[in-house]
């Protein structure tokens, strides 16, 4: 699976090369040390926390030290809370939380954060059902007699609210019998 050019497969098609390594393959041993937490992740979590703490759009200083620091490194126009005439204006708490969610989607791509961000934001059902709708519509548009091999076939998946809840571990319920298991948790 090792490739010569980062980001391109042997067939020349683009692929995610984010975790590709030049190190030699040696069974279960590797010189690769993948990060667990990135500074950009910390800054975006801080921006989200500050937004909840102030109950609206944080000060321009907080924006500049959190989400705008991430955007600046990527060469993207900064956000403004209205005190700074340049940049993309953010006027409400909802706009700010949406901006943070979008920034996490882009900055932390392929790092396994997205699913955990969606339920926390309360948008898991909305975003995932829109995703499945687009995928299903594309399937119908492109379907032919031989398209029966696609895994989605003629079934459109739907995500319900209970899908965004993890079960509470049994050990926690045993420690505190007042806890009730999340509905439909498996």
């Amino acid at each position: 699976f090792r490739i010569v050019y980062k980001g391109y497969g042997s067939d020349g098609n683009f692929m995610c090369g984010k975790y590709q390594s030049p190190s030699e393959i040696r069974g279960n041993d590797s010189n690769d040390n993948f990060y667990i937490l990135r500074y950009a992740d910390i800054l975006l979590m801080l921006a989200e926390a500050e937004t909840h703490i102030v109950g609206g759009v944080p000060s321009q200083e907080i924006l500049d030290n959190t989400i705008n620091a991430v955007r600046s490194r990527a060469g993207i126009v900064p956000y403004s809370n209205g005190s700074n005439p340049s940049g993309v204006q953010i006027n409400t708490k909802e706009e700010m939380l949406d901006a943070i969610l979008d920034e996490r989607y882009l900055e932390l791509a392929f790092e396994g954060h997205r699913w955990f961000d969606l339920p926390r934001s309360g948008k898991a059902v909305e975003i995932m059902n829109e995703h499945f709708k687009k995928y299903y519509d594309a399937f119908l548009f492109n379907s032919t007699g031989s398209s029966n091999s696609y895994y989605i076939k003629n079934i459109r998946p739907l995500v319900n609210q209970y899908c965004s809840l993890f079960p509470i571990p049994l050990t926690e319920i045993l420690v505190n019998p007042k806890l009730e298991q999340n509905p439909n948790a498996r």
Side-chain angles (χ1 to χ4, degrees), residues 9 16 35 47 151:
C16 175
Y35 51 83
Y151 80 92

Side-chain angles (χ1 to χ4, degrees), residues 57-64 67-68 71 77-92 95-96 99:
V57 181
S59 69
Q60 189 63 46
E61 180 183 11
I62 298 290
L63 288 177
D64 290 341
I67 192 168
N68 285 343
R71 292 174 67 84
V77 176
Y79 287 117
S80 171
N81 69 355
S83 63
N84 181 1
S86 64
V88 178
Q89 294 292 322
I90 300 285
N91 300 311
T92 66
E95 287 179 1
M96 186 65 204

